Amino acid sequence: MSKMGVIAVGIDGSRACIDAARWAADDAQRRGSILRLVHAVVAPSVGEYPEPLLLAPQVTDTLRKRAARLLDSIAGQLGA
């Protein structure tokens, strides 16, 4: 089986995303591809500027940690 690239699946914590991740994992395995789980972090607005760079590091660190826990949880479910 040769590598066929990367299959990416978006994770938002919903039941549907878990089903999509399972489907993508099966497809990646069949194709010999890498499975990449992705999650977008939406930074809260700061005044009129929705730029994450304007947020305190504690805020962005918290968002990143939540995203990492979600991705780790889904990855663990796929590994089961």
Side-chain angles (χ1 to χ4, degrees):
M1 197 176 339
S2 64
K3 290 282 181 199
M4 297 294 292
V6 176
I7 294 176
V9 61
I11 301 299
D12 65 4
S14 68
R15 180 72 209 154
C17 92
I18 295 168
D19 293 340
R22 281 199 177 102
W23 181 89
D26 290 343
D27 195 41
Q29 187 173 24
R30 273 192 304 275
R31 295 171 184 258
S33 298
I34 296 167
L35 176 65
R36 180 158 299 145
L37 304 177
V38 296
H39 175 72
V41 175
V42 179
S45 296
V46 177
E48 294 184 27
Y49 301 99
E51 290 293 324
L53 297 176
L54 299 176
L55 296 174
Q58 299 87 342
V59 174
T60 55
D61 287 348
T62 299
L63 293 170
R64 286 186 184 105
K65 286 176 186 174
R66 283 184 194 152
R69 281 194 303 271
L70 175 63
L71 291 168
D72 287 344
S73 172
I74 300 296
Q77 291 178 51
L78 294 176

